[in-house]
Amino acid sequence: MKEVNQRKVAMIGCGFVGSASCFALMQSGLFSEMVLIDANTAKAEGEAADISHGLPFAKPMDIYAGTYDDIADAAIIVVSAGAAQKPGETRLDLVKKNIGIFGSIMPEIKKRDVGGILLIVANPVDVLTYAAQKMTGLPENRVFGTGTTLDSARLKYIIGQHVGVDSRNCHAYVIGEHGDSEIVAWSSAKVSGVPLSDYCALRGVCDFEEHKAQIAEDVKNSAYDIIQKKGATYYGIAMSVRRVCEAIIRDEHTILPVSSLQHGEYGLKDVCLSMPAIVGANGVENLIPLDLSMEEQEALLKSGQTLRQVLDDAMPETV
C-alpha cells in the first residue's frame, strides 16, 4: 500500500457531476493536487485545463488528466463515472448499466492497493457503494457513498424557505435509499435544537403539518424536476462531494447522512443505505441512531428490502 498524500484527490468520471465536483473541490482549498480520469481522455484533459485556468483566482493546485496509476496515493478517490439518469428514468433503472461500468473500474482500483477513501457518487449510489465494497475488498469504513447528503440539504433548504429561517439552522435528515423509497425523519427534525413542530408553533407557522407530505415529495422529486428542465443535476451534488471531502480531510468527526454498509440496525443488514454517520479521516467511524417513529422505522426497513432485492437481481454472481 502506497503512503497516502492527504492533499491529493482523484476523480474518476468527468461528466457533469464529476467536472462540477472538481470545480467545487478546486475552490475549496482542501487539496494541492487533483487528477481527473475518464474513459474519454480528451474530456478529462479539457476539464483539467478549463478548471486550471481559474487557479489565478484560487489557491495553488496541480490539476491534470491522468490514469489509474495516479490514484494509488490519493487521500480520496471520488467515483462519479456511470450512465446519467435520463428524463423519466429512476435511479434504480441505472443499476445494470452502471454495475457493468463499475465492473471495469473497480478491478483497476483494487490492483493499485489504495490506502485512501473511496467515495461513490454515481447512481444508484447505494447499490454501487455495495458493489464497490465487494469488488475492491477495501475496508467498509473506507468505501461509502454520498447517499442522502444532497437530499438532506434539499430538505433543509425547503424547510428553511417554508418556516422563514436560515436553512443552516434546520437540522433534519433524509434516510434510507437515495431514491424513491427515501424517508424524511420528521420525528427528529429540529430548528437549532427546538423540535420542528414546536418551532412552527412559536413562529405562528400554522400550516406546516399539512405541508409535510408535499415537502417530502418535493425533496424526493427534486432530481426528476431538474433533469426534466435542464437535463442533469450537478451543482447540488458537487457541493455535497465538497462537504464530505472536507469532513474527511479536516478529520471533522462531523455527522453526515452517507450511504454505508448496515449490520442489523433497524433490522437492516447486508445493504448500503443512508443513516447519519460520524465522518472523519478514517471514513465512516460510527452510525448515529435516530429516534424514529414506528412508521418511519417500517418505511426504512422497506427501503432496505427494496435495495436488497435490486442487489439480488443485479449483482454479478462472481462478486
Side-chain angles (χ1 to χ4, degrees):
M1 185 185 299
K2 194 168 182 179
E3 185 177 352
V4 170
N5 176 0
Q6 291 296 330
R7 299 280 290 166
K8 181 176 180 179
V9 63
M11 176 64 69
I12 300 175
C14 298
F16 283 124
V17 170
S19 55
S21 297
C22 286
F23 183 59
L25 291 172
M26 179 272 279
Q27 293 179 303
S28 73
L30 290 168
F31 302 100
S32 58
E33 184 177 355
M34 178 161 61
V35 57
L36 282 65
I37 300 165
D38 195 274
N40 182 346
T41 303
K43 179 73 162 70
E45 291 172 347
E47 295 293 355
D50 196 9
I51 295 169
S52 294
H53 295 164
L55 285 173
F57 310 112
K59 302 284 194 304
M61 192 175 184
D62 185 16
I63 303 172
Y64 59 96
T67 68
Y68 285 107
D69 288 336
D70 294 305
I71 70 172
D73 62 340
I76 304 174
I77 302 163
V78 185
V79 184
S80 68
Q85 188 177 352
K86 298 175 183 177
E89 190 175 38
T90 70
R91 295 180 183 95
L92 291 181
D93 287 337
L94 299 174
V95 172
K96 291 194 175 179
K97 284 187 283 189
N98 284 348
I99 282 185
I101 292 170
F102 268 41
S104 62
I105 294 172
M106 293 304 145
E108 295 294 336
I109 294 174
K110 185 175 182 178
K111 276 193 278 187
R112 272 69 185 184
D113 193 24
V114 298
I117 285 170
L118 193 57
L119 178 62
I120 308 301
V121 183
N123 276 320
V125 67
D126 306 291
V127 174
L128 294 180
T129 298
Y130 184 91
Q133 288 182 344
K134 297 301 180 184
M135 291 177 179
T136 62
L138 290 170
E140 64 186 63
N141 62 296
R142 286 170 43 209
V143 184
F144 56 98
T146 47
T148 57
T149 303
L150 174 56
D151 307 82
S152 297
R154 288 167 171 159
L155 174 63
K156 293 175 185 180
Y157 172 77
I158 295 174
I159 290 173
Q161 292 287 299
H162 192 88
V163 304
V165 71
D166 185 343
S167 60
R168 293 172 298 179
N169 296 130
C170 300
H171 306 288
Y173 292 110
V174 175
I175 56 175
E177 177 203 356
H178 172 54
D180 292 342
S181 68
E182 66 185 33
I183 304 102
V184 174
W186 288 117
S187 56
S188 62
K190 293 180 172 62
V191 175
S192 288
V194 179
L196 185 54
S197 56
D198 293 349
Y199 180 84
C200 289
L202 286 169
R203 295 279 290 167
V205 183
C206 302
D207 62 346
F208 188 76
E209 284 297 318
E210 63 191 70
H211 281 89
K212 281 166 63 173
Q214 186 59 54
I215 288 172
E217 281 296 302
D218 288 346
V219 171
K220 183 179 73 175
N221 293 325
S222 288
Y224 297 134
D225 183 50
I226 294 168
I227 290 168
Q228 188 66 43
K229 289 175 176 175
K230 58 173 273 187
T233 72
Y234 37 92
Y235 296 127
I237 188 60
M239 290 302 290
S240 301
V241 169
R242 171 178 168 163
R243 182 67 193 97
V244 175
C245 288
E246 184 178 50
I248 295 166
I249 295 302
R250 297 178 62 183
D251 195 21
E252 289 183 346
H253 305 284
T254 197
I255 298 173
L256 295 168
V258 294
S259 182
S260 62
L261 192 63
Q262 304 296 303
H263 292 282
E265 301 86 356
Y266 303 100
L268 303 163
K269 192 173 182 181
D270 197 32
V271 67
C272 288
L273 51 69
S274 290
M275 291 296 293
I278 297 175
V279 179
N282 294 318
V284 172
E285 299 180 3
N286 290 101
L287 297 184
I288 303 299
L290 291 174
D291 186 14
L292 301 175
S293 68
M294 285 303 298
E295 183 180 359
E296 289 165 349
Q297 289 183 47
E298 289 169 2
L300 180 60
L301 183 58
K302 186 176 179 180
S303 182
Q305 291 169 340
T306 297
L307 287 167
R308 185 64 255 173
Q309 184 61 55
V310 171
L311 284 166
D312 289 342
D313 293 342
M315 285 290 286
E317 292 181 7
T318 54
V319 175

